[in-house]
């Protein structure tokens, strides 16, 4: 790709120091966009198509039941996976990418599909030595009265240490990853029964064991019960 991740996420050269209003995405935009999928199975089909386009030869869909709680749904594939830059792009509202060979656009489908199926989702991905996870939840930030959409994201190296470097393919800062991790752990569905130090983090990182060397795993919870698309009102 010609554009780097940093170029995609930052203001164009010359605008960084100017006090110019920029477009913000309210958390309700995900709920509104989810109405593009009239039926939940069309959202599921979109996620399956994304796995196929990533080169996946195997995809598993599992329902994990939890005591007195709505079940989790997991989708796991063995595709090419995403590095931090790619996942940051995927989670960026409004970002799309055009395939120069087919002319098709990619980018919005994953977000709208997930919003159609559930209230919260964690996206785990491996693409080499770096593993990354992002939280997508309009409901969480709506409940927190946020006026902008936030997408917490953290990455680890092969030693299970939070990635410290910032580069073209890993555009977040170490502090952004640490702050994101704190929020992800607070709202993660993987909270062990025994509240011991580091247990929640180990449970979170343990999800990467379900992935091969490369691939993506989506965990969705607070799965929607309604068949009709959620209203943005």
């Amino acid at each position: 790709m010609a554009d780097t991740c940093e170029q995609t996420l930052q203001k164009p050269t010359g605008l960084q120091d100017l006090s110019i209003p920029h477009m913000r995405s309210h958390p309700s935009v995900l709920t509104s966009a989810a109405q593009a999928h009239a039926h939940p199975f069309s959202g599921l089909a979109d996620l399956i198509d994304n796995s196929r386009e990533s080169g996946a030869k195997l995809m598993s869909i599992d329902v994990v039941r939890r005591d007195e709680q709505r079940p989790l749904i997991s989708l796991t594939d063995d595709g090419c996976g995403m590095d931090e830059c790619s996942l940051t792009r995927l989670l960026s509202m409004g970002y799309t990418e055009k395939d120069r060979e087919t002319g098709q656009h990619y980018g919005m489908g994953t977000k709208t599909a997930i919003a159609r199926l559930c209230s919260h989702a964690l996206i785990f991905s491996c693409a080499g030595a770096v593993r990354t996870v992002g939280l997508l939840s309009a409901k969480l930030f709506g409940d927190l009265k946020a006026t902008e959409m936030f997408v917490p994201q953290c990455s680890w190296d092969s030693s299970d240490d939070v990635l410290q470097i910032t580069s073209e393919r890993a555009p977040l800062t170490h502090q952004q990853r640490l702050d994101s991790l704190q929020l992800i752990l607070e709202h993660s569905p993987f909270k062990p029964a025994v509240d011991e130090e580091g247990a929640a983090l180990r449970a979170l990182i343990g999800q990467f064991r379900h992935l091969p060397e490369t691939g993506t795993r989506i965990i969705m919870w607070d799965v929607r019960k309604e068949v009709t698309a959620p209203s943005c009102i």
Side-chain angles (χ1 to χ4, degrees), residues 2-24:
D3 294 333
T4 67
C5 189
E6 292 172 315
Q7 289 172 330
T8 302
L9 299 176
Q10 294 178 356
K11 295 179 182 178
T13 302
L15 295 182
Q16 288 90 338
D17 299 325
L18 298 180
S19 180
I20 297 177
H22 62 278
M23 182 179 291
R24 294 179 171 88

Side-chain angles (χ1 to χ4, degrees), residues 30-31 33-35 37-48 59 61 70-75 109-121 136 218-230:
L30 266 183
T31 306
Q35 296 180 78
H37 298 280
H39 196 279
F41 284 110
S42 69
L44 186 60
D46 218 336
L47 296 177
I48 293 172
M59 182 179 192
I61 302 175
R70 295 187 197 176
L72 299 173
I73 296 179
S74 69
L75 292 81
T110 298
K111 293 180 280 286
T112 59
I114 289 174
R116 178 63 183 89
L117 293 166
C118 64
S119 297
H120 318 280
L136 187 65
I218 302 175
I219 302 289
M220 299 181 285
W221 69 102
D222 280 355
V223 178
R224 300 192 186 282
K225 293 181 178 180
E226 70 272 17
V227 175
T228 56

Side-chain angles (χ1 to χ4, degrees), residues 51-230:
S51 290
R52 293 177 58 192
E53 289 159 3
S54 73
K57 294 180 171 56
L58 177 66
M59 182 179 192
S60 62
I61 302 175
D62 300 295
V63 177
V64 181
R65 299 198 176 277
R66 303 182 292 167
D67 294 340
E68 300 180 1
Q69 297 185 66
R70 295 187 197 176
L72 299 173
I73 296 179
S74 69
L75 292 81
T76 308
D77 69 42
D78 62 350
C80 62
M82 292 176 283
D83 57 16
E84 187 177 89
C85 176
S86 297
L87 184 57
T88 301
R89 283 175 165 172
L90 180 74
L91 295 174
S92 299
M93 295 308 301
Y95 175 79
T96 61
E97 181 177 342
K98 184 175 181 179
D99 188 305
R100 294 174 182 173
E101 294 183 3
T102 66
Q104 292 180 299
H105 283 81
Y106 305 100
M108 283 300 293
T110 298
K111 293 180 280 286
T112 59
I114 289 174
R116 178 63 183 89
L117 293 166
C118 64
S119 297
H120 318 280
L122 283 169
I123 304 175
F124 299 82
S125 204
C126 297
V130 174
R131 295 163 297 165
T132 187
V133 62
L135 172 64
L136 187 65
S137 175
K139 184 178 186 303
L140 169 61
F141 294 105
D143 291 345
L144 294 175
K145 309 299 183 184
T147 58
E148 292 185 83
M149 191 68 194
F150 292 87
V151 280
Q153 187 179 345
C154 187
S155 301
W156 293 266
D157 59 24
S158 57
S159 302
D160 285 349
D161 293 323
V162 173
L163 197 65
Q164 296 198 34
I165 64 169
T166 298
S167 66
E168 181 179 316
R169 302 308 306 174
L172 302 182
T173 65
H174 185 235
Q175 191 60 51
Q176 285 177 319
R177 296 179 188 118
L178 292 177
D179 291 344
S180 293
L181 179 58
Q182 179 180 344
L183 191 62
I184 289 172
L185 289 175
E186 286 177 5
H187 300 281
S188 169
F190 308 110
K191 293 184 178 179
V194 180
D195 187 18
E196 59 182 57
E197 185 177 359
L201 177 58
R202 290 193 296 273
L204 182 74
I205 295 179
Q207 292 301 309
F208 288 107
R209 292 199 299 268
H210 295 275
L211 290 170
E213 187 174 339
T214 63
T216 298
R217 178 174 173 84
I218 302 175
I219 302 289
M220 299 181 285
W221 69 102
D222 280 355
V223 178
R224 300 192 186 282
K225 293 181 178 180
E226 70 272 17
V227 175
T228 56

